[in-house]
Amino acid sequence: MKVQKVLIALIMLPLLIFTSCDQDKNDDPVPTQPTVSSIVPAHNSTGVAINTTLQFTFSEAMDPATINSTTVTLNQGSTAVDGIVTFSDKTATFTPTANLLFNTQYTGSVSVAAKSLAGIALETEVVINFTTMVSVDATAPLIVSTSPLSNATDVTRNKNVSITFNEAMDPLTLNNTTFTLKQGTTAVAGTVTYTGTIATFSSTANLAANKSYTATITTGAKDLTGNALASATSWDFTTGGSSAVLASVDLGGAGNYVILAKTAINNSSTSAITGHLALSPAATSYITGLALVDFTGYATSSQVTGNVYAADMADPTPVTLTTAVNNMITAYNDAAGRPSPDFLELATGNIGGMTLTSGLYKWTSTVTIPADLTLTGGAEDVWIFQIDGDLTQSAAVAITLEGGAQAKNIFWQIAGEATFGSTSHFEGNILSMTGITFLTGASMNGRALAQTAVILDSNTITKVE
């Protein structure tokens, strides 16, 4: 019985081995046939640059030994084009030894002799046609305009210098070597950028006031076909502003008040105001929320460290307030009319997070302060901000003074409304043609001088001397 079982086992052994080997064979993956997944230039493309390369990208890794000048070719008609074939990252590249001819059709191909790493040949020969560009641009590029113009004066100190060309340029040829700015013999530090047909030099720091500058573009600047400017070009311009300290704005009688308005002063909750308040030509009834206590010619309030005045109070208050309001308007017009700004449209009106030195600033639209702002300068330095739109300071944002700068020397001339977010902190004298609104908990060191109303809500407003 044992002998019989042994004989059966010996008979079955070859069959088991055969079956096992056959199963292992069936588990092996079947190699796939490679294909060409993309081609550059595209088939039947026109206007192809004469310095182009021919690229075939395969669907899988290929055997580099089968990617060569025999399997990858480029022909012009029946004439083979000389070139070098390289292979990297599934892409075969044919680089012609010399530039191709203009306005000529070429045929590129990769043959079935190209094989994958598994030794599987390309599924089918791939053939493409393309036509090169019609002709070369042999004309030197021209400068259409410059900004600032040659011999321009009163140029703002934050002005970028730019050149507009008559055609697209090679961006690599527009840099700090070919496009420079100098003040005398001293090079100005900055960066060069290029977009469309415009090259721009942006100085790292603001330009100096009332100084002559020279911008230069050299013949190293070239168009896309390698044509250089016919000759180097330079032009001069002079900045505006003054190297001397900017003259302060005379507030006249308006400077005697921390808040001065024409139509109303309205307060919500409890505020803490240090300095006199005044309203004219509106009457006392248009001062609300301060629980006034009347005296002859003035009133007091527990929320005000100072006196409160209105146009209907006893003499000489009405005359005094008329003078103060007229002085406020004169001061507004003085600030608005200052010529030759040092800085124009700085940061397009978003000055949050900046550090500003003294000078004359002008914007033709709204100005916002969405992040903390620093004003830095000496005790005698003056800032005048000319704003044709509104001024808005975000909640919890603060203006900080550094280097001895004083709020009394800072003037904000605002044609629109001035709004200060809750718990924000502001520095300077506000000269507003319309309203001034302090939201809950906002504070200020300076003066709020409005040609309409001032709105308060639990604020701390402190006059500066």
Side-chain angles (χ1 to χ4, degrees), residues 128-208:
I128 64 140
N129 297 311
F130 64 88
T131 303
T132 53
M133 59 196 300
V134 174
S135 63
V136 66
D137 173 15
T139 304
L142 301 174
I143 296 175
V144 175
S145 63
T146 64
S147 180
L149 296 173
S150 180
N151 297 319
T153 58
D154 287 334
V155 175
T156 55
R157 295 165 57 195
N158 61 317
K159 176 70 176 179
N160 290 331
V161 182
S162 64
I163 303 171
T164 301
F165 300 94
N166 69 325
E167 61 177 304
M169 302 291 285
D170 180 356
L172 296 178
T173 68
L174 295 167
N175 49 53
N176 289 92
T177 300
T178 59
F179 189 7
T180 59
L181 182 65
K182 290 184 177 182
Q183 197 273 298
T185 59
T186 303
V188 176
T191 58
V192 176
T193 56
Y194 177 74
T195 302
T197 58
I198 301 175
T200 302
F201 181 98
S202 303
S203 59
T204 303
N206 292 320
L207 304 181

Side-chain angles (χ1 to χ4, degrees), residues 333-341 343 360-365 367 384-389 411-415:
N333 292 334
D334 174 24
R338 295 292 180 95
S340 305
F343 307 99
L360 180 61
Y361 295 74
K362 181 176 179 60
W363 293 272
T364 58
S365 58
V367 170
I384 299 178
F385 299 98
Q386 299 173 328
I387 304 171
D388 288 351
F411 301 90
W412 301 81
Q413 173 264 312
I414 306 162

Side-chain angles (χ1 to χ4, degrees), residues 280-361:
S280 179
T284 307
S285 59
Y286 290 92
I287 301 175
T288 63
L290 292 175
L292 298 181
V293 177
D294 290 331
F295 289 89
T296 303
Y298 68 97
T300 62
S301 168
S302 60
Q303 300 178 54
V304 179
T305 303
N307 296 331
V308 179
Y309 300 92
D312 61 340
M313 292 180 178
D315 294 335
T317 297
V319 174
T320 301
L321 295 187
T322 297
T323 300
V325 168
N326 288 337
N327 291 163
M328 173 177 68
I329 295 172
T330 299
Y332 175 93
N333 292 334
D334 174 24
R338 295 292 180 95
S340 305
D342 294 284
F343 307 99
L344 180 63
E345 312 296 356
L346 181 67
T348 63
N350 182 342
I351 57 175
M354 302 185 74
T355 297
L356 305 182
T357 57
S358 60
L360 180 61
Y361 295 74

Side-chain angles (χ1 to χ4, degrees), residues 224-451:
L224 291 175
T225 53
N227 298 306
L229 286 174
S231 61
T233 299
S234 296
W235 71 100
D236 298 328
F237 62 88
T238 304
T239 54
S242 173
S243 55
V245 175
L246 186 66
S248 182
V249 176
D250 184 3
L251 298 177
N256 295 325
Y257 306 93
V258 66
I259 296 176
L260 175 61
K262 293 177 67 176
T263 62
I265 298 174
N266 301 135
N267 177 58
S268 296
S269 189
T270 301
S271 293
I273 302 167
T274 302
H276 299 317
L277 275 69
L279 181 65
S280 179
T284 307
S285 59
Y286 290 92
I287 301 175
T288 63
L290 292 175
L292 298 181
V293 177
D294 290 331
F295 289 89
T296 303
Y298 68 97
T300 62
S301 168
S302 60
Q303 300 178 54
V304 179
T305 303
N307 296 331
V308 179
Y309 300 92
D312 61 340
M313 292 180 178
D315 294 335
T317 297
V319 174
T320 301
L321 295 187
T322 297
T323 300
V325 168
N326 288 337
N327 291 163
M328 173 177 68
I329 295 172
T330 299
Y332 175 93
N333 292 334
D334 174 24
R338 295 292 180 95
S340 305
D342 294 284
F343 307 99
L344 180 63
E345 312 296 356
L346 181 67
T348 63
N350 182 342
I351 57 175
M354 302 185 74
T355 297
L356 305 182
T357 57
S358 60
L360 180 61
Y361 295 74
K362 181 176 179 60
W363 293 272
T364 58
S365 58
T366 293
V367 170
T368 59
I369 311 176
D372 290 352
L373 172 67
T374 301
L375 305 183
T376 182
E380 302 302 320
D381 288 342
V382 174
W383 288 256
I384 299 178
F385 299 98
Q386 299 173 328
I387 304 171
D388 288 351
D390 298 332
L391 171 64
T392 303
Q393 183 172 343
S394 299
V397 167
I399 295 179
T400 302
L401 306 184
E402 290 185 351
Q406 299 190 74
K408 69 176 184 178
N409 295 328
I410 303 167
F411 301 90
W412 301 81
Q413 173 264 312
I414 306 162
E417 297 182 359
T419 304
F420 305 96
S422 59
T423 70
S424 64
H425 178 73
F426 188 77
E427 297 276 346
N429 301 289
I430 306 167
L431 291 161
S432 174
M433 180 176 283
T434 52
I436 301 173
T437 300
F438 295 95
L439 298 181
T440 306
S443 62
M444 181 185 81
N445 292 329
R447 296 174 178 86
L449 310 177
Q451 294 182 40

